[in-house]
Amino acid sequence: QVRLVESGGGLVQPGGSLRLSCKASGYTMDYYGIGWFRQAPGKEREGLLCISSSEEVTEWADSVKGRFIISKDRRANTLYLQMSNLQPEDTAVYYCATDLDYDRACMVRDGDSRFTWGQGTQVTVSS
């Protein structure tokens, strides 16, 4: 059974940093694209970044360019999102998600019903 579990969220002050983790089980991350998404209250889900099986990065959200970095640890089968210079508008529930169809996950910007999603981790940026 494929499972994704996010962690690392929390409350941080503006300008602060957080690193989110997404531990995958039931499949090997090596062979599929996987991405980070977020959903703020009252807003549509937004695709942020995706990393392919060959570790090519797709950046979808202009608002996080230069501040958020996606990476993965193959041995740990874990995806990361390093976030810096966080702002109140980054407040959202953050999800990792994959589609077990090669790198299709990196071709569907906001994800869809075929994706396997984690439960999400809350990030709140506030002073």
Side-chain angles (χ1 to χ4, degrees), residues 71-90:
S71 63
K72 62 182 178 181
D73 182 328
R74 291 176 178 269
R75 285 190 297 177
N77 213 29
T78 299
L79 178 74
Y80 299 102
L81 183 66
Q82 179 67 49
M83 306 186 293
S84 60
N85 192 23
L86 285 160
Q87 300 301 317
E89 52 267 33
D90 295 315

Side-chain angles (χ1 to χ4, degrees), residues 89-106:
E89 52 267 33
D90 295 315
T91 295
V93 179
Y94 285 70
Y95 301 90
C96 58
T98 188
D99 181 354
L100 299 179
D101 182 2
Y102 193 46
D103 287 324
R104 180 180 178 273
C106 294

Side-chain angles (χ1 to χ4, degrees), residues 23-44:
K23 174 67 176 175
S25 60
Y27 86 111
T28 301
M29 198 179 287
D30 286 3
Y31 305 116
Y32 305 98
I34 185 167
W36 284 103
F37 304 79
R38 70 184 179 187
Q39 188 163 21
K43 294 189 176 181
E44 296 291 317

Side-chain angles (χ1 to χ4, degrees), residues 2-126:
V2 175
R3 190 173 182 220
L4 301 172
V5 179
E6 302 94 335
S7 61
L11 174 64
V12 62
Q13 292 187 340
S17 299
L18 280 175
R19 188 176 80 156
L20 305 184
S21 300
C22 169
K23 174 67 176 175
S25 60
Y27 86 111
T28 301
M29 198 179 287
D30 286 3
Y31 305 116
Y32 305 98
I34 185 167
W36 284 103
F37 304 79
R38 70 184 179 187
Q39 188 163 21
K43 294 189 176 181
E44 296 291 317
R45 183 172 60 212
E46 175 185 26
L48 302 177
L49 302 110
C50 192
I51 187 165
S52 73
S53 57
S54 60
E55 301 198 14
E56 179 178 351
V57 175
T58 300
E59 296 180 303
W60 287 312
D62 289 340
S63 61
V64 306
K65 286 182 179 178
R67 300 189 299 124
F68 289 13
I69 299 172
I70 189 172
S71 63
K72 62 182 178 181
D73 182 328
R74 291 176 178 269
R75 285 190 297 177
N77 213 29
T78 299
L79 178 74
Y80 299 102
L81 183 66
Q82 179 67 49
M83 306 186 293
S84 60
N85 192 23
L86 285 160
Q87 300 301 317
E89 52 267 33
D90 295 315
T91 295
V93 179
Y94 285 70
Y95 301 90
C96 58
T98 188
D99 181 354
L100 299 179
D101 182 2
Y102 193 46
D103 287 324
R104 180 180 178 273
C106 294
M107 304 174 193
V108 183
R109 176 170 178 152
D110 296 320
D112 63 23
S113 60
R114 283 178 48 173
F115 280 39
T116 296
W117 298 86
Q119 84 289 350
T121 186
Q122 175 72 46
V123 172
T124 301
V125 185
S126 175

